[in-house]
Amino acid sequence: MQSNLHQGLKHGLSKALPAVVVLVLLANPVAAQSATEDCTIPSSLQPLFDLLSTLETLAFVAGVSLGVVGFSVAGLMIAGPFGEDWVRRGKQLAKNTILGVVILASANMVVAFLISQLGPSFCA
């Protein structure tokens, strides 16, 4: 049993690790690019950029919350005495939770990219 768990974790990490590395590498240049430009956003467009920032924060909080709930339920399904069908469903839920958390956590990168691309075109 321990061997199968070890192989499953190893397989899951080998699939998730490249995506995390790419997200980290892509997020840093975008943040650096937006910080170096000297730009003042017009006051009429400030609510749009505030909305994007709020959506980014909400997506991050939702990702963390759904991740905690998803992994808790998946852990109960895998560790509980419910049978092999529940273990299979728990593993599938854990995989889906990882994908969802990565997508929601990448909202920071998406918003930073949009602001860096749209910001200079609206500079005053």
Side-chain angles (χ1 to χ4, degrees):
M1 182 74 170
Q2 188 71 3
S3 175
N4 289 340
L5 179 63
H6 180 66
Q7 287 176 339
L9 286 174
K10 198 166 149 182
H11 180 70
L13 285 176
S14 68
K15 283 188 168 185
L17 188 61
V20 172
V21 169
V22 167
L23 287 175
V24 168
L25 291 177
L26 289 178
N28 289 336
V30 171
Q33 180 184 7
S34 65
T36 59
E37 295 186 17
D38 193 19
C39 176
T40 303
I41 299 170
S43 60
S44 62
L45 292 176
Q46 189 61 39
L48 173 66
F49 287 96
D50 291 341
L51 175 67
L52 287 174
S53 177
T54 303
L55 289 176
E56 168 196 353
T57 304
L58 286 175
F60 179 75
V61 170
V64 169
S65 302
L66 289 175
V68 168
V69 170
F71 282 123
S72 297
V73 172
L76 288 173
M77 290 172 77
I78 292 171
F82 305 117
E84 290 299 319
D85 188 44
W86 283 81
V87 171
R88 184 182 49 78
R89 287 183 189 174
K91 288 179 181 180
Q92 188 62 38
L93 179 62
K95 289 176 190 176
N96 291 340
T97 302
I98 288 173
L99 290 174
V101 167
V102 168
I103 289 170
L104 286 174
S106 67
N108 182 21
M109 180 184 70
V110 172
V111 170
F113 176 75
L114 287 174
I115 289 175
S116 71
Q117 296 299 312
L118 293 175
S121 63
F122 295 117
C123 286

